[in-house]
Amino acid sequence: MRRLLLTLLVALGLPAAAQDSERPAVLVADDLFITRDRELVAQGNVEAFQGTTRIRASAIRYNDETGALVIEGPIVLNDGDGTVILADAAELDQGLQNGLLRGARMVLNQQVQMAAVQIDRVEGRYSQLYKTAVTSCKTCNDGELPLWQIRARRVVHDTEAQQLYFDDATFHIRSVPVFYLPRLRLPDPTLDRADGFLAPSIRTTSLLGTGLKLPYFITLGESRDLTLTPYLSSSTRTLEFRYRQAFTNGDIEFDGAYTRDDQLPDETRGYLFGEGSFELERGYKLSFTIEAVSDSSYFTEYGYSDEDRLRSDLTLSRARRDSFVRTSLYNFETLRPGELNSTLPTVVIDGEFERRFFPKAWGGELRFGLEAHSHWRSSDVDVIGRDVSRINGSLKYLRRFTHRSGLVTDAQVGTTFNFFDITQDDTFAQNHSDIAPFAAVGLSYPMARREAGGASQVLTPVVQLGWTDGSRLDIPNEESTRVEFDQGNILSLSRFPRPDRRERGTTAAVAVNWSRFDPNGWDTYVAVGQVFRSISDPAFTDTSGLSGVRSDVLLAGQIKNNAGLSLTARTLVDSDFDISKAELRGGWSFGKTTVEGTYVWLEADTEEDRTEAISEVSIDGSYDINKQWSASADVRYDVQNSTAATAGLGLTYNNECVSVDLSVRRRYTSSTSVEPSTDIGFNIGLRGFSASNGTERYERSCGK
């Protein structure tokens, strides 16, 4: 047997203008001959091509007069757009665009398959399937029915509109009919966006009862869409929405909900979240965030967010190699019990500018920075309605020297200038200003050692001496009320988070960093540090670790290995070996199990509005039972009060044709506005009728 290649340079009966755009048919076969009736017969491993259409069969008969193709199976027809048709026999026209296929099965994008007694192809665009069974479940030749299928009298596949139209459709789970629809339209798997319903979900809570969410997706052109989700239960009538729009230079998204319920029957409730960013000319970026809610208990009852302080902002910024500029407008709203928005800074204007210069004459770096800030309270009451504005600037010169011995010297010198304006507080003068020069020199000596097994160690002792002149201004502490002492600021001249406070006098910082990197196993990092100062700073609280002339000892470390274990810890220990703060984070992935956890300890500190100690542990994990089933759990436990804060369980089932998600969550804590509640969620989705399933696709094997 030999392979023959015949190019059918036939005009195919088309007008001359169309012939230029149509490709000729190409036929490849083991045997090729012409009968007396001028019928071209190809037999044995036959393959035919027409544009992007490809067909394989055992035999093809081509009639030169009618242009008809009679094809003997088994037949495999590939349209080149992800559609594959399997058939026992077929009769097609010369362009493979129109005709009839018997005993056919159509597979769309390797996801949805449709088995039919007969398929009619019309104009290469439409495929009409009669007595059809549609499913995305893998079917085997063992006679077992798929988990679900849609049976219909007729199904029309429109390849141009990427839609499936069903007549007299019945949805079956195994062999049991569940519901009937006289007309049904679904997108085919190749369609990215189309109007229609999305997968529904069921939510049950102890506060709102059992409700159904049925989202509907609406396309508003190529760059916009809207999703509306009615949420109905015995206690609520809610309409959720999401609007998205893409622009040539950015995008926006808004999420929200409108609610009337039995919790507050005489009030309209809801929330709105929005965000967007735009790339502007000359490297500028404009971004915004909107966060608003009707009342403090809405998020807790409906589960839309865990935020207890909302922030809306508008920011314009630009970052370059040697400069940075930003200006922002913020609006804050608190949802915490006991806090009043009228006595908190709710409107904030903040801006900063920084420029770096690299003078060639004397080397090093010259850095100039400027920051402006204002915040207002809506209250007009003296003291508690205090408003503050400030301007802070700095000019400093930095230089690094690396000596032949390996010693590294970092030096800096400069000055800061500060202006403050305080209103609505008779206990402080309105205007304040000062200039504070500073200087610092740091020495570090990195030492490295390589082990025989390929691991390497680096030990770096560091010492820094710093000095800042002047006395602190008599102004209220508005912004630096929470101080964190960690390895990131141990060498800073001021460890206050904002420039309304600055450390004064002479300071010394001592630290040792050690790390070990093993390409075959464990990686370890340890840091130890302490700060000494000539005078104590009363602005540092007892639990900050920086009060007194000698700070607490900072201990920080990290351990991780190639087996999936990771631990990160940080703590502050005073001279009596008492711990004021401690944090431990870790994760471990082994086999089918993943566990992550966090432990936090904070000592009581009234100056930080913490009347009692905080000791809390959070653990969450997941376990892959098999390729289809997975389970998850999480808990947040208040060790100090021996009570659970939240707990949750989840169970997920996924295969190639269905996804099921069941979750149960319990919130134990309560406040004056919110009671403890239990939330049960159930989601089920049919795979295949979308461009992407969103998760890894599992395909089972026949016989397993």
Side-chain angles (χ1 to χ4, degrees):
M1 302 296 287
R2 60 191 179 89
R3 301 285 288 173
L4 298 177
L5 173 63
L6 176 65
T7 304
L8 304 177
L9 301 175
V10 183
L12 301 178
L14 298 173
Q19 293 176 15
D20 296 336
S21 61
E22 291 289 335
R23 297 180 181 179
V26 178
L27 184 68
V28 180
D30 290 333
D31 286 326
L32 187 67
F33 59 89
I34 300 177
T35 66
R36 293 180 179 180
D37 299 330
R38 298 189 58 79
E39 187 177 63
L40 177 67
V41 179
Q43 291 181 336
N45 299 317
V46 181
E47 293 189 29
F49 306 87
Q50 173 69 31
T52 60
T53 304
R54 177 178 179 177
I55 188 170
R56 290 183 294 169
S58 59
I60 295 180
R61 297 177 180 272
Y62 174 71
N63 191 307
D64 187 32
E65 296 181 358
T66 64
L69 289 171
V70 178
I71 308 173
E72 299 177 6
I75 301 169
V76 179
L77 176 62
N78 193 326
D79 275 354
D81 59 355
T83 301
V84 179
I85 299 177
L86 311 175
D88 297 330
E91 296 179 8
L92 300 173
D93 66 1
Q94 56 192 354
L96 307 179
Q97 304 297 302
N98 299 278
L100 176 68
L101 297 95
R102 296 184 179 89
R105 183 185 300 271
M106 178 182 291
V107 182
L108 304 178
N109 203 33
Q110 299 183 359
Q111 296 184 51
V112 175
Q113 53 182 312
M114 300 181 288
V117 174
Q118 173 181 312
I119 298 180
D120 290 342
R121 285 177 60 84
V122 181
E123 299 176 359
R125 172 178 175 177
Y126 303 99
S127 295
Q128 300 185 73
L129 297 86
Y130 296 92
K131 295 183 179 179
T132 310
V134 181
T135 185
S136 60
C137 301
K138 187 177 182 66
T139 56
C140 303
N141 295 325
D142 55 5
E144 183 180 356
L145 293 174
L147 179 62
W148 67 266
Q149 61 179 318
I150 301 175
R151 298 179 182 176
R153 178 178 56 83
R154 186 183 71 155
V155 177
V156 177
H157 179 219
D158 186 343
T159 58
E160 185 175 311
Q162 299 170 289
Q163 296 288 325
L164 294 169
Y165 302 92
F166 296 76
D167 293 337
D168 297 328
T170 306
F171 183 81
H172 291 248
I173 297 179
R174 295 297 185 184
S175 60
V176 180
V178 178
F179 59 84
Y180 165 81
L181 292 173
R183 295 289 185 272
L184 176 65
R185 177 181 62 84
L186 292 173
D188 77 10
T190 63
L191 184 61
D192 291 330
R193 302 162 67 246
D195 294 354
F197 289 101
L198 304 178
S201 62
I202 298 175
R203 182 172 185 256
T204 299
T205 73
S206 56
L207 297 176
L208 302 175
T210 300
L212 175 67
K213 293 186 178 184
L214 186 60
Y216 189 83
F217 183 82
I218 304 171
T219 57
L220 303 173
E222 294 294 328
S223 60
R224 296 180 296 167
D225 59 57
L226 175 66
T227 303
L228 298 176
T229 306
Y231 171 31
L232 301 176
S233 75
S234 58
S235 299
T236 183
R237 282 81 54 202
T238 297
L239 179 63
E240 303 172 5
F241 63 87
R242 184 192 67 182
Y243 176 80
R244 301 183 301 180
Q245 182 169 356
F247 302 89
T248 56
N249 62 335
D251 57 79
I252 60 174
E253 179 176 337
F254 291 92
D255 297 86
Y258 175 86
T259 296
R260 298 301 295 264
D261 59 21
D262 296 342
Q263 301 298 311
L264 298 174
D266 298 328
E267 297 184 17
T268 298
R269 311 178 71 189
Y271 84 100
L272 176 65
F273 278 6
E275 62 180 5
S277 63
F278 298 90
E279 300 291 339
L280 306 181
E281 296 181 356
R282 300 175 59 187
Y284 284 96
K285 181 178 181 179
L286 178 67
S287 62
F288 72 86
T289 302
I290 297 175
E291 295 182 351
V293 68
S294 59
D295 55 86
S296 60
S297 60
Y298 186 77
F299 283 152
T300 305
E301 294 174 3
Y302 284 83
Y304 293 124
S305 174
D306 294 327
E307 298 287 342
D308 58 2
R309 279 183 177 169
L310 306 183
R311 188 187 78 172
S312 301
D313 67 81
L314 178 65
T315 299
L316 179 67
S317 63
R318 184 180 69 179
R320 291 182 172 178
R321 176 182 177 274
D322 57 355
S323 66
F324 175 75
V325 60
R326 177 190 61 84
T327 180
S328 302
L329 174 64
Y330 300 94
N331 183 79
F332 293 93
E333 180 182 0
T334 181
L335 307 178
R336 297 179 180 181
E339 291 187 347
L340 299 176
N341 285 295
S342 60
T343 60
L344 294 176
T346 54
V347 179
V348 178
I349 296 177
D350 197 78
E352 59 181 314
F353 170 79
E354 188 171 71
R355 182 68 185 273
R356 301 192 304 168
F357 303 91
F358 302 92
K360 296 181 180 180
W362 60 84
E365 176 186 342
L366 186 64
R367 187 177 300 179
F368 172 74
L370 189 66
E371 182 174 339
H373 172 91
S374 293
H375 60 255
W376 292 273
R377 294 173 170 86
S378 59
S379 174
D380 295 329
V381 180
D382 189 47
V383 181
I384 64 174
R386 179 174 53 236
D387 301 325
V388 177
S389 299
R390 60 174 172 82
I391 296 177
N392 307 94
S394 66
L395 179 65
K396 58 183 175 181
Y397 173 72
L398 304 95
R399 183 73 183 271
R400 166 168 287 191
F401 303 91
T402 302
H403 307 280
R404 290 184 178 181
S405 62
L407 182 68
V408 178
T409 303
D410 289 289
Q412 61 175 304
V413 62
T415 185
T416 63
F417 50 93
N418 311 279
F419 303 93
F420 293 86
D421 182 81
I422 303 172
T423 58
Q424 288 194 171
D425 191 341
D426 291 340
T427 60
F428 292 95
Q430 180 173 352
N431 297 315
H432 304 261
S433 63
D434 74 342
I435 296 177
F438 61 86
V441 59
L443 302 175
S444 61
Y445 191 75
M447 296 172 285
R449 187 182 75 172
R450 183 171 295 276
E451 301 176 7
S456 60
Q457 298 184 41
V458 178
L459 178 66
T460 307
V462 180
V463 176
Q464 184 192 67
L465 297 177
W467 165 81
T468 302
D469 192 24
S471 301
R472 177 170 299 129
L473 297 174
D474 184 21
I475 58 175
N477 187 358
E478 288 277 275
E479 303 173 61
S480 297
T481 58
R482 303 292 186 271
V483 178
E484 290 293 332
F485 179 34
D486 55 31
Q487 57 269 42
N489 61 13
I490 191 171
L491 298 180
S492 298
L493 285 179
S494 179
R495 293 160 191 84
F496 290 103
R498 302 291 284 171
D500 64 333
R501 282 288 186 275
R502 187 173 183 86
E503 294 184 50
R504 307 286 177 155
T506 303
T507 61
V510 179
V512 177
N513 299 315
W514 176 80
S515 58
R516 182 181 184 273
F517 304 97
D518 188 347
N520 302 317
W522 296 85
D523 291 342
T524 309
Y525 166 79
V526 176
V528 181
Q530 191 172 19
V531 175
F532 304 88
R533 57 174 54 87
S534 59
I535 56 174
S536 62
D537 195 327
F540 288 124
T541 64
D542 292 336
T543 59
S544 68
L546 293 166
S547 60
V549 295
R550 183 174 59 182
S551 74
D552 293 349
V553 176
L554 169 67
L555 298 174
Q558 183 182 63
I559 300 175
K560 60 180 181 179
N561 64 9
N562 297 334
L565 176 64
S566 176
L567 291 174
T568 302
R570 178 172 64 98
T571 187
L572 298 176
V573 182
D574 63 17
S575 57
D576 297 327
F577 296 99
D578 292 331
I579 297 176
S580 59
K581 291 183 179 180
E583 180 182 23
L584 174 64
R585 298 178 183 270
W588 191 16
S589 297
F590 56 99
K592 299 180 179 181
T593 305
T594 299
V595 179
E596 295 180 347
T598 301
Y599 174 74
V600 176
W601 159 261
L602 297 175
E603 198 175 51
D605 192 337
T606 56
E607 295 184 51
E608 293 188 359
D609 300 326
R610 194 166 53 250
T611 56
E612 61 179 21
I614 294 177
S615 179
E616 187 174 275
V617 60
S618 299
I619 300 176
D620 62 86
S622 63
Y623 176 71
D624 296 328
I625 303 172
N626 52 37
K627 289 185 176 181
Q628 295 172 301
W629 290 94
S630 64
S632 62
D634 65 88
V635 62
R636 185 162 61 90
Y637 188 79
D638 186 347
V639 180
Q640 180 69 19
N641 297 313
S642 301
T643 59
T646 61
L649 294 173
L651 187 63
T652 302
Y653 175 84
N654 281 296
N655 66 11
E656 78 282 359
C657 63
V658 68
S659 62
V660 181
D661 183 17
L662 174 65
S663 63
V664 180
R665 176 160 294 278
R666 174 68 176 174
R667 183 180 54 81
Y668 296 92
T669 57
S670 63
S671 65
T672 56
S673 58
V674 179
E675 294 296 326
S677 63
T678 302
D679 190 337
I680 301 175
F682 180 72
N683 298 277
I684 184 170
L686 303 181
R687 295 180 178 270
F689 296 103
S690 63
S692 174
N693 292 327
T695 58
E696 182 179 356
R697 188 167 179 264
Y698 167 70
E699 183 174 328
R700 64 185 177 91
S701 301
C702 292
K704 294 183 180 180

